[in-house]
Every structure is written in structure tokens, then in C-alpha cells.
Amino acid sequence: MSGKKVTLRDIAEHLGVNTSTVSRALNPKTSKMLTAEQVRRVQQAADELGYVQNTMAYALRKGRSMTIGVIIPDLMNPVFPPILKGIINYLNREGYTSIIAYCENDIELALTEIKRMRGRQVDGFILAGAFRDDASVDYCVENKIPAITVGRSIDKDLVDKIVIDNESGMQQIIEHLLELGHKEIALIAATQNISDGYERYQAYRHLLQEQGIEVKEDLIVFAQAFKHAAGQEATRELLARKVPFTAVIAANDLVALGCIEELENHGLNCPADVSVIGFNNMPYLDQFRVPLTTIEIPRLKMGEKAARLILERLNKPNMPLQHIVLEPKLLERRSTAPCKG
């Protein structure tokens, strides 16, 4: 078949089957109508003959590009690859392609990437890097571009969102530390223009108050980013205040690891002197010298639900806004221990 564009009819004649059978076998949404052996034979023949689907023609027939834009805030943060995996796996099964971009936690860069992808006629967006007040979300809404947020959310009720129950996660953390006898509990909070940072900070305050524990402002430090270095810097600031504490709740796992390192730089041992808890359960935490107690979030599930939801929004543009909340779970490891006091 060299020199000639291979068609579905060519594959059908090669196998001695109907063109409709070949079409169904090569479409992830209809391949289940055939036996596994039929699908295998068609796919093998397509590969041998050099068949390449004309996605542009298919898109014109469907009125869609069959692509979804995905914006993540940080390529180096281990939280996001499992979310991306869930998104990509689900979209692939549905015959969609994902285009990935990252915005370095920069609102303007996110908006620029969205406009670039829109120029490539993507059908919708999954936004994992949204801020509470976000121009890129506003742009999608104003231009009637289907979009959802995942992980983070905006304050205004404008788009579908999939989030973690941050209050539940913080409640599990506080209860765990209280059971260990800790009452002087510090918080390294995230920046407050991100929903996760804001919700965890607010939950920390009112959960301590509910337990009758004074919220000491000197035990609250705001990290400048969800990064290891930011955890170190915040811990240095906390120690410089010379206010006693026996436990630290960190904005995320990277911040927690930076906190532990800085505590050790000051001669403090985790968990003998200070217990530390993270948030997210990034990979390999159980392999560290001090395995980190943390809050696990269902990242793969979150990605799959995000992909499913954006396609549902494409197919049902007038459906009510969806607000999906996933439950986190405390994973107790060796970075927390009973309070010596």
C-alpha cells in the first residue's frame, strides 16, 4: 500500500469484512460492540497497512477537534502527574487527545496558554492551577468555552469543580495530633489566593477553637510557595519567633520536607522534638529516612473524574454546575509521635 493513503475500505477488503466493522474496531467508543479477537485483527491489519486516522476530517464531521487543554501549575510538583495520568487515560479511552501546558503558578501565563490552545480549537479546558480570583476562568466563561477546575477552585460559582474536602483533612490532622498530646501546634500555611491554602488555614483556626485551644498568631507562618525551599524559609521564620511548639502542620508534603530539614539544621529531631504532618501523599514518602505522616488525596481518581466531567459538560452544556468533593484520608507514619510534654 506504499504511496497510497490507506482507507477503512482497504483494511476491510484486506480482512474480508465490512467497512463498518473496521470503523467500529478502530473507535474506542464502539470497539466493545465487537469481540476482542475482531478488534485485535483489525488493529493489527491497520498497523501493517500503515493506516492513520484523518483526525481533522473526523473533527469536521463531529464539529469538534477532539482535544482538551489541561493547565497545571507546576511540572516539578509530584502531586500533578497522577492527576494527569487519570485525565489522559480517560480521554484516550473516549478518543480524545490532551494538550498539556504549565503556568508556573502565574495567572497571566495561564491565560496566555489558554488563548494559544484556543487558537488550536481545543474543545474545552481542565484547569488544575486556578486561583481563587482567576482571569483565565473568567476568560473561558466570557467566551463560552467549556472549562472545569480540578484540585483548586475559584470563589465565584462559575464553572464545574472537583475538589478535596480540605476541612475533613485538617480535622483528621488536628485529631491525630491531639491524641498524641500536642497542643502547641504550628501551621505553615500556603498563600491565601489559592483555595487549598485558604481552606486549610481557615479550618486550622476554627478546629483549634472548637477544641478550646488558643490560636496563637505567632505559630502561623505563610509559605511563599508549595515548595521545599519555601518550607525551609517558613520554618526559619517560625523558629526565629522563639514561641514554643511541639508539632507543625505543613501546607503540603514538599513544604513539610523542607520544614523537617530546617528543624534538623537547628538541632531539632523529627519526631522526637517536633512532629510534622504534610498534605497530599506524594510518591515515595514512605521511603524517606523519616517517613512522613500526611493526608492522602485520590489523585488518579480526581483526574479521571475531571476528564469525565469536561466531556459531560461538552455533551450537556446546559446541565447544572457540578461540585464534586472527594474525601481525603490520614496516613500515619513516623514523622509524628507522642508529645514529650
Side-chain angles (χ1 to χ4, degrees), residues 153-204:
S153 62
I154 62 172
D155 286 348
K156 293 177 284 188
D157 197 19
L158 298 176
V159 295
D160 303 312
K161 57 184 175 182
I162 301 173
V163 296
I164 291 298
D165 190 337
N166 283 304
E167 179 157 357
S168 173
M170 288 300 290
Q171 183 172 1
Q172 293 175 60
I173 287 174
I174 296 292
E175 289 176 352
H176 173 63
L177 291 175
L178 292 179
E179 287 173 1
L180 293 173
H182 295 280
K183 293 191 177 178
E184 302 295 337
I185 302 171
L187 173 69
I188 300 179
T191 55
Q192 297 298 283
N193 59 350
I194 295 173
S195 60
D196 282 343
Y198 177 75
E199 290 170 6
R200 293 170 195 174
Y201 167 69
Q202 294 295 332
Y204 164 87

Side-chain angles (χ1 to χ4, degrees), residues 249-270:
I249 302 171
N252 76 345
D253 295 331
L254 290 172
V255 171
L257 295 176
C259 173
I260 292 173
E261 183 173 331
E262 195 61 29
L263 289 171
E264 291 178 345
N265 290 341
H266 285 77
L268 295 170
N269 178 272
C270 172

Side-chain angles (χ1 to χ4, degrees), residues 225-242:
F226 286 102
K227 296 183 177 181
H228 181 277
Q232 288 184 283
E233 183 180 351
T235 304
R236 283 195 295 271
E237 181 180 341
L238 182 62
L239 291 168
R241 295 177 182 178
K242 299 190 182 303

